[in-house]
Amino acid sequence: MSDTPPPQTASSRIVLASGSPRRRELLEQAGYAFDVIPADPSVECGVCSSETPAELVARHAFRKAEDVSRQIDAGMVIAADTVAACRGQILGKPEDREHARQMLKMLAGTQHAVFTGVCLWSLPDQKASLDVCCTQLQMEAIDDATIEAYLDSDRWVGKAGAFGYQDGNDWLQILSGSPSNVVGLPMERLQEMLASFAETAQAIDVSARQAPLVEIDRPSS
């Protein structure tokens, strides 16, 4: 598959519905031209008790896209949400250093997963496409000194699961799936979604604002 993004015109404005510098860097590195309009943080309303990680990130991505779609007249909104999942727990962004420490201790020595929901929303036709990608990882059984050194670096701030694959830590390995998915935006899947949007997108009832059905991309182990 080509790494070249689809051609863009003035009528095909792309808007990233995220203030994440990592998502912005991924789009820039891939050659996309886009504007940034972060979704209101209030759309991330927490975890429902019955939700799976995939359902959570799909819901949040849809709500972020919906929020930003209300602010523009035309274009393509790209929204995403990322969490880690380990031992039946969903791990979002750590609240503080102690919370980050707890997450890293839980993840140490385990296989775990990172889920990213991606929603594309086009205007003015009010159509959307929604998908979830999953990447499987292995974290070595790092000791307390390694955890504290990483916490001292502050590179855990704002990252799901309190870690960043892009930080180049030798104690974190991908077993299957997309590396960019762990960073926060699965670029291979995004390109596929953009290329097939006209055929696969579903019309959104703007009064009900109901999310389209989503099939989860589960990489083989």
Side-chain angles (χ1 to χ4, degrees):
M1 181 174 59
S2 171
D3 292 331
T4 304
Q8 294 174 225
T9 67
S11 62
S12 64
R13 176 192 184 195
I14 288 179
V15 177
L16 176 63
S18 173
S20 164
R22 290 166 290 280
R23 293 189 180 115
R24 184 168 63 246
E25 288 168 5
L26 286 170
L27 284 178
E28 289 173 345
Q29 290 167 3
Y32 288 90
F34 60 96
D35 299 319
V36 175
I37 303 178
D40 191 297
S42 66
V43 303
E44 299 182 60
C45 60
V47 182
C48 296
S49 59
S50 61
E51 270 185 324
T52 66
E55 289 168 341
L56 173 67
V57 295
R59 177 169 61 86
H60 280 178
F62 181 83
R63 293 194 62 183
K64 289 178 181 180
E66 174 190 4
D67 179 66
V68 174
S69 75
R70 298 175 186 271
Q71 303 178 50
I72 66 173
D73 296 322
M76 176 71 75
V77 177
I78 299 175
D81 190 68
T82 303
V83 299
C86 179
R87 297 174 177 170
Q89 294 196 37
I90 296 175
L91 308 179
K93 298 173 185 176
E95 298 172 0
D96 52 29
R97 182 183 175 113
E98 178 55 32
H99 193 200
R101 181 183 290 111
Q102 293 171 5
M103 289 184 179
L104 291 171
K105 287 187 175 235
M106 177 187 296
L107 292 165
T110 71
Q111 290 186 19
H112 56 281
V114 170
F115 294 83
T116 298
V118 180
C119 185
L120 305 183
W121 189 307
S122 69
L123 295 103
D125 56 344
Q126 301 288 3
K127 290 185 176 181
S129 177
L130 182 62
D131 201 4
V132 175
C133 291
C134 176
T135 302
Q136 302 287 339
L137 302 98
Q138 171 74 48
M139 186 180 290
E140 293 183 7
I142 52 178
D143 57 22
D144 288 348
T146 301
I147 290 175
E148 293 305 318
Y150 186 68
L151 292 173
D152 287 343
S153 74
D154 286 339
R155 287 179 290 180
W156 53 271
V157 176
K159 294 176 180 175
F163 67 85
Y165 178 73
Q166 68 273 27
D167 295 336
N169 300 304
D170 58 9
W171 36 263
L172 185 65
Q173 303 296 327
I174 286 180
L175 302 177
S176 62
S178 164
S180 61
N181 183 54
V182 186
V183 180
L185 192 59
M187 295 304 297
E188 306 91 342
R189 184 64 187 125
L190 173 64
Q191 185 175 338
E192 292 171 352
M193 290 174 69
L194 287 168
S196 64
F197 186 84
E199 293 77 34
T200 61
Q202 300 180 41
I204 297 298
D205 181 345
V206 294
S207 60
R209 296 284 176 166
Q210 180 134 10
L213 296 175
V214 55
E215 292 186 5
I216 302 167
D217 172 17
R218 295 185 183 275
S220 59
S221 57

Short mmCIF file of all heavy atoms in Angstrom, two decimals, residues 101-145:
data_model
loop_
_atom_site.label_atom_id
_atom_site.label_comp_id
_atom_site.label_asym_id
_atom_site.label_seq_id
_atom_site.Cartn_x
_atom_site.Cartn_y
_atom_site.Cartn_z
N ARG A 101 2.53 5.42 37.94
CA ARG A 101 3.31 4.35 38.55
C ARG A 101 2.48 3.07 38.71
O ARG A 101 2.95 1.97 38.42
CB ARG A 101 3.84 4.81 39.92
CG ARG A 101 4.70 3.76 40.63
CD ARG A 101 5.13 4.22 42.01
NE ARG A 101 6.11 5.31 41.93
CZ ARG A 101 5.85 6.56 42.30
NH1 ARG A 101 4.64 6.90 42.76
NH2 ARG A 101 6.78 7.49 42.21
N GLN A 102 1.24 3.24 39.16
CA GLN A 102 0.36 2.08 39.33
C GLN A 102 0.11 1.38 38.00
O GLN A 102 0.11 0.14 37.92
CB GLN A 102 -0.97 2.54 39.94
CG GLN A 102 -0.85 3.04 41.37
CD GLN A 102 -2.15 3.67 41.87
OE1 GLN A 102 -3.18 3.66 41.18
NE2 GLN A 102 -2.10 4.26 43.06
N MET A 103 -0.10 2.17 36.94
CA MET A 103 -0.32 1.58 35.62
C MET A 103 0.90 0.79 35.15
O MET A 103 0.78 -0.34 34.67
CB MET A 103 -0.65 2.67 34.60
CG MET A 103 -2.01 3.32 34.77
SD MET A 103 -2.31 4.50 33.42
CE MET A 103 -3.96 5.07 33.85
N LEU A 104 2.07 1.38 35.27
CA LEU A 104 3.28 0.72 34.79
C LEU A 104 3.57 -0.55 35.58
O LEU A 104 4.02 -1.56 35.01
CB LEU A 104 4.47 1.69 34.85
CG LEU A 104 4.41 2.86 33.87
CD1 LEU A 104 5.52 3.86 34.16
CD2 LEU A 104 4.52 2.36 32.43
N LYS A 105 3.31 -0.54 36.87
CA LYS A 105 3.51 -1.75 37.67
C LYS A 105 2.53 -2.84 37.26
O LYS A 105 2.87 -4.04 37.27
CB LYS A 105 3.35 -1.42 39.16
CG LYS A 105 4.52 -0.63 39.72
CD LYS A 105 4.41 -0.48 41.25
CE LYS A 105 5.65 0.21 41.77
NZ LYS A 105 6.33 -0.52 42.82
N MET A 106 1.32 -2.46 36.90
CA MET A 106 0.35 -3.44 36.42
C MET A 106 0.78 -4.03 35.09
O MET A 106 0.65 -5.25 34.84
CB MET A 106 -1.03 -2.79 36.26
CG MET A 106 -2.08 -3.74 35.69
SD MET A 106 -3.65 -2.92 35.31
CE MET A 106 -4.14 -2.40 36.94
N LEU A 107 1.30 -3.19 34.19
CA LEU A 107 1.67 -3.62 32.85
C LEU A 107 2.97 -4.41 32.82
O LEU A 107 3.18 -5.24 31.92
CB LEU A 107 1.80 -2.41 31.92
CG LEU A 107 0.50 -1.66 31.60
CD1 LEU A 107 0.82 -0.29 30.99
CD2 LEU A 107 -0.36 -2.47 30.65
N ALA A 108 3.86 -4.17 33.78
CA ALA A 108 5.18 -4.80 33.78
C ALA A 108 5.07 -6.32 33.77
O ALA A 108 4.35 -6.91 34.57
CB ALA A 108 5.98 -4.33 34.99
N GLY A 109 5.76 -6.94 32.82
CA GLY A 109 5.78 -8.39 32.73
C GLY A 109 4.56 -9.01 32.08
O GLY A 109 4.37 -10.22 32.17
N THR A 110 3.72 -8.21 31.43
CA THR A 110 2.47 -8.73 30.87
C THR A 110 2.36 -8.49 29.36
O THR A 110 3.01 -7.61 28.81
CB THR A 110 1.23 -8.05 31.51
OG1 THR A 110 1.14 -6.69 31.05
CG2 THR A 110 1.30 -8.10 33.02
N GLN A 111 1.51 -9.30 28.74
CA GLN A 111 1.01 -8.98 27.42
C GLN A 111 -0.25 -8.16 27.60
O GLN A 111 -1.07 -8.46 28.48
CB GLN A 111 0.70 -10.25 26.63
CG GLN A 111 1.93 -11.04 26.22
CD GLN A 111 1.59 -12.21 25.30
OE1 GLN A 111 0.53 -12.24 24.68
NE2 GLN A 111 2.50 -13.17 25.21
N HIS A 112 -0.39 -7.13 26.82
CA HIS A 112 -1.56 -6.27 26.93
C HIS A 112 -1.89 -5.71 25.55
O HIS A 112 -1.21 -6.03 24.57
CB HIS A 112 -1.32 -5.14 27.94
CG HIS A 112 -0.11 -4.30 27.63
ND1 HIS A 112 1.17 -4.71 27.93
CD2 HIS A 112 0.01 -3.10 27.03
CE1 HIS A 112 2.03 -3.77 27.55
NE2 HIS A 112 1.36 -2.80 26.99
N ALA A 113 -2.94 -4.92 25.48
CA ALA A 113 -3.42 -4.43 24.19
C ALA A 113 -3.64 -2.92 24.23
O ALA A 113 -3.92 -2.35 25.29
CB ALA A 113 -4.72 -5.13 23.81
N VAL A 114 -3.50 -2.30 23.08
CA VAL A 114 -3.86 -0.90 22.91
C VAL A 114 -4.94 -0.82 21.82
O VAL A 114 -4.78 -1.38 20.74
CB VAL A 114 -2.64 -0.03 22.51
CG1 VAL A 114 -3.08 1.37 22.09
CG2 VAL A 114 -1.65 0.05 23.66
N PHE A 115 -6.02 -0.13 22.16
CA PHE A 115 -7.15 0.04 21.24
C PHE A 115 -7.26 1.50 20.84
O PHE A 115 -7.18 2.38 21.70
CB PHE A 115 -8.46 -0.38 21.91
CG PHE A 115 -8.58 -1.84 22.23
CD1 PHE A 115 -8.02 -2.35 23.39
CD2 PHE A 115 -9.26 -2.70 21.38
CE1 PHE A 115 -8.14 -3.70 23.70
CE2 PHE A 115 -9.37 -4.04 21.68
CZ PHE A 115 -8.81 -4.55 22.84
N THR A 116 -7.45 1.75 19.56
CA THR A 116 -7.73 3.10 19.08
C THR A 116 -8.99 3.08 18.22
O THR A 116 -9.09 2.30 17.27
CB THR A 116 -6.57 3.69 18.26
OG1 THR A 116 -5.41 3.79 19.08
CG2 THR A 116 -6.92 5.09 17.74
N GLY A 117 -9.95 3.92 18.59
CA GLY A 117 -11.12 4.13 17.77
C GLY A 117 -10.88 5.30 16.84
O GLY A 117 -10.31 6.32 17.25
N VAL A 118 -11.26 5.15 15.58
CA VAL A 118 -11.10 6.21 14.57
C VAL A 118 -12.45 6.50 13.95
O VAL A 118 -13.15 5.57 13.51
CB VAL A 118 -10.10 5.81 13.47
CG1 VAL A 118 -9.96 6.93 12.44
CG2 VAL A 118 -8.75 5.47 14.06
N CYS A 119 -12.82 7.76 13.92
CA CYS A 119 -14.07 8.17 13.28
C CYS A 119 -13.79 9.24 12.23
O CYS A 119 -13.11 10.23 12.53
CB CYS A 119 -15.06 8.71 14.31
SG CYS A 119 -16.69 9.10 13.61
N LEU A 120 -14.29 9.02 11.03
CA LEU A 120 -14.27 10.03 9.96
C LEU A 120 -15.69 10.55 9.81
O LEU A 120 -16.64 9.77 9.77
CB LEU A 120 -13.80 9.42 8.64
CG LEU A 120 -12.46 8.69 8.63
CD1 LEU A 120 -12.13 8.22 7.22
CD2 LEU A 120 -11.34 9.57 9.17
N TRP A 121 -15.81 11.87 9.71
CA TRP A 121 -17.14 12.49 9.60
C TRP A 121 -17.05 13.58 8.53
O TRP A 121 -16.28 14.53 8.66
CB TRP A 121 -17.53 13.09 10.95
CG TRP A 121 -18.95 13.58 11.07
CD1 TRP A 121 -19.61 14.43 10.24
CD2 TRP A 121 -19.88 13.23 12.11
NE1 TRP A 121 -20.88 14.66 10.69
CE2 TRP A 121 -21.08 13.92 11.84
CE3 TRP A 121 -19.81 12.42 13.24
CZ2 TRP A 121 -22.19 13.84 12.67
CZ3 TRP A 121 -20.91 12.32 14.06
CH2 TRP A 121 -22.09 13.03 13.77
N SER A 122 -17.84 13.42 7.47
CA SER A 122 -17.78 14.38 6.37
C SER A 122 -18.96 15.33 6.40
O SER A 122 -20.07 14.95 6.78
CB SER A 122 -17.71 13.65 5.02
OG SER A 122 -18.94 13.01 4.75
N LEU A 123 -18.68 16.55 6.01
CA LEU A 123 -19.70 17.58 5.90
C LEU A 123 -19.57 18.26 4.54
O LEU A 123 -18.48 18.34 3.99
CB LEU A 123 -19.53 18.63 7.01
CG LEU A 123 -19.76 18.11 8.43
CD1 LEU A 123 -18.41 17.93 9.11
CD2 LEU A 123 -20.61 19.07 9.23
N PRO A 124 -20.68 18.73 3.96
CA PRO A 124 -22.01 18.88 4.57
C PRO A 124 -22.92 17.67 4.47
O PRO A 124 -24.07 17.71 4.89
CB PRO A 124 -22.61 20.05 3.78
CG PRO A 124 -22.01 19.89 2.41
CD PRO A 124 -20.60 19.39 2.63
N ASP A 125 -22.43 16.54 3.92
CA ASP A 125 -23.33 15.40 3.68
C ASP A 125 -23.65 14.59 4.94
O ASP A 125 -24.52 13.72 4.91
CB ASP A 125 -22.77 14.49 2.59
CG ASP A 125 -21.38 13.99 2.91
OD1 ASP A 125 -20.72 14.55 3.80
OD2 ASP A 125 -20.94 13.03 2.26
N GLN A 126 -22.96 14.87 6.05
CA GLN A 126 -23.25 14.21 7.33
C GLN A 126 -23.19 12.69 7.21
O GLN A 126 -24.12 11.96 7.54
CB GLN A 126 -24.64 14.64 7.86
CG GLN A 126 -24.80 16.12 8.08
CD GLN A 126 -24.02 16.63 9.30
OE1 GLN A 126 -23.29 15.89 9.95
NE2 GLN A 126 -24.18 17.92 9.62
N LYS A 127 -22.02 12.21 6.77
CA LYS A 127 -21.76 10.78 6.73
C LYS A 127 -20.55 10.47 7.60
O LYS A 127 -19.65 11.30 7.75
CB LYS A 127 -21.51 10.31 5.29
CG LYS A 127 -22.76 10.34 4.42
CD LYS A 127 -22.48 9.74 3.05
CE LYS A 127 -23.76 9.68 2.21
NZ LYS A 127 -23.50 9.07 0.88
N ALA A 128 -20.53 9.26 8.14
CA ALA A 128 -19.44 8.89 9.05
C ALA A 128 -19.02 7.45 8.84
O ALA A 128 -19.80 6.60 8.40
CB ALA A 128 -19.86 9.12 10.50
N SER A 129 -17.76 7.21 9.15
CA SER A 129 -17.19 5.86 9.14
C SER A 129 -16.44 5.67 10.45
O SER A 129 -15.73 6.58 10.91
CB SER A 129 -16.24 5.70 7.94
OG SER A 129 -15.61 4.44 7.95
N LEU A 130 -16.59 4.51 11.06
CA LEU A 130 -16.05 4.28 12.40
C LEU A 130 -15.38 2.92 12.43
O LEU A 130 -15.91 1.93 11.93
CB LEU A 130 -17.18 4.33 13.42
CG LEU A 130 -16.86 4.16 14.91
CD1 LEU A 130 -15.94 5.26 15.41
CD2 LEU A 130 -18.15 4.15 15.72
N ASP A 131 -14.18 2.85 13.03
CA ASP A 131 -13.48 1.58 13.14
C ASP A 131 -12.62 1.58 14.40
O ASP A 131 -12.32 2.64 14.97
CB ASP A 131 -12.60 1.34 11.91
CG ASP A 131 -12.26 -0.13 11.71
OD1 ASP A 131 -12.75 -0.98 12.49
OD2 ASP A 131 -11.47 -0.44 10.81
N VAL A 132 -12.24 0.38 14.82
CA VAL A 132 -11.37 0.21 15.99
C VAL A 132 -10.23 -0.71 15.60
O VAL A 132 -10.44 -1.76 14.99
CB VAL A 132 -12.14 -0.40 17.18
CG1 VAL A 132 -11.20 -0.69 18.34
CG2 VAL A 132 -13.25 0.54 17.64
N CYS A 133 -9.01 -0.31 15.93
CA CYS A 133 -7.83 -1.13 15.69
C CYS A 133 -7.21 -1.54 17.03
O CYS A 133 -7.23 -0.78 17.99
CB CYS A 133 -6.79 -0.38 14.85
SG CYS A 133 -7.32 -0.10 13.15
N CYS A 134 -6.63 -2.73 17.05
CA CYS A 134 -6.04 -3.28 18.26
C CYS A 134 -4.61 -3.72 17.98
O CYS A 134 -4.34 -4.38 16.97
CB CYS A 134 -6.87 -4.46 18.76
SG CYS A 134 -6.19 -5.31 20.20
N THR A 135 -3.69 -3.35 18.87
CA THR A 135 -2.30 -3.78 18.79
C THR A 135 -1.94 -4.52 20.07
O THR A 135 -2.25 -4.05 21.16
CB THR A 135 -1.36 -2.57 18.60
OG1 THR A 135 -1.73 -1.86 17.41
CG2 THR A 135 0.10 -3.01 18.49
N GLN A 136 -1.29 -5.67 19.93
CA GLN A 136 -0.87 -6.47 21.08
C GLN A 136 0.59 -6.17 21.40
O GLN A 136 1.43 -6.12 20.50
CB GLN A 136 -1.04 -7.96 20.78
CG GLN A 136 -2.46 -8.36 20.42
CD GLN A 136 -3.40 -8.36 21.61
OE1 GLN A 136 -2.96 -8.44 22.76
NE2 GLN A 136 -4.70 -8.28 21.34
N LEU A 137 0.89 -5.97 22.69
CA LEU A 137 2.24 -5.63 23.12
C LEU A 137 2.69 -6.52 24.27
O LEU A 137 1.87 -7.14 24.96
CB LEU A 137 2.33 -4.17 23.57
CG LEU A 137 1.95 -3.11 22.56
CD1 LEU A 137 0.52 -2.65 22.78
CD2 LEU A 137 2.89 -1.92 22.64
N GLN A 138 4.00 -6.53 24.48
CA GLN A 138 4.60 -7.21 25.62
C GLN A 138 5.51 -6.21 26.33
O GLN A 138 6.37 -5.59 25.70
CB GLN A 138 5.43 -8.41 25.17
CG GLN A 138 6.27 -9.06 26.26
CD GLN A 138 5.44 -9.87 27.24
OE1 GLN A 138 4.61 -10.68 26.82
NE2 GLN A 138 5.65 -9.66 28.54
N MET A 139 5.30 -6.04 27.64
CA MET A 139 6.20 -5.22 28.44
C MET A 139 7.02 -6.15 29.32
O MET A 139 6.48 -7.05 29.97
CB MET A 139 5.44 -4.22 29.31
CG MET A 139 6.36 -3.25 30.05
SD MET A 139 5.49 -2.04 31.09
CE MET A 139 4.71 -1.01 29.84
N GLU A 140 8.32 -5.98 29.31
CA GLU A 140 9.18 -6.80 30.16
C GLU A 140 8.91 -6.51 31.64
O GLU A 140 8.31 -5.49 31.99
CB GLU A 140 10.65 -6.52 29.82
CG GLU A 140 11.07 -6.99 28.44
CD GLU A 140 12.54 -6.76 28.18
OE1 GLU A 140 13.27 -6.35 29.13
OE2 GLU A 140 12.97 -6.96 27.03
N ALA A 141 9.38 -7.40 32.47
CA ALA A 141 9.19 -7.24 33.92
C ALA A 141 10.19 -6.23 34.45
O ALA A 141 11.18 -6.57 35.12
CB ALA A 141 9.35 -8.59 34.61
N ILE A 142 9.94 -4.97 34.13
CA ILE A 142 10.86 -3.90 34.53
C ILE A 142 10.81 -3.68 36.05
O ILE A 142 9.79 -3.87 36.68
CB ILE A 142 10.55 -2.59 33.79
CG1 ILE A 142 9.06 -2.21 33.94
CG2 ILE A 142 10.91 -2.71 32.32
CD1 ILE A 142 8.68 -0.91 33.27
N ASP A 143 11.96 -3.30 36.60
CA ASP A 143 12.04 -3.12 38.04
C ASP A 143 11.64 -1.70 38.44
O ASP A 143 11.39 -0.84 37.58
CB ASP A 143 13.45 -3.45 38.56
CG ASP A 143 14.55 -2.62 37.89
OD1 ASP A 143 14.24 -1.53 37.35
OD2 ASP A 143 15.70 -3.06 37.90
N ASP A 144 11.59 -1.46 39.74
CA ASP A 144 11.14 -0.16 40.24
C ASP A 144 12.05 0.97 39.78
O ASP A 144 11.58 2.08 39.50
CB ASP A 144 11.09 -0.18 41.78
CG ASP A 144 9.94 -1.03 42.30
OD1 ASP A 144 9.06 -1.41 41.50
OD2 ASP A 144 9.92 -1.32 43.51
N ALA A 145 13.36 0.71 39.69
CA ALA A 145 14.30 1.76 39.28
C ALA A 145 14.02 2.19 37.84
O ALA A 145 14.07 3.38 37.52
CB ALA A 145 15.74 1.26 39.41
#
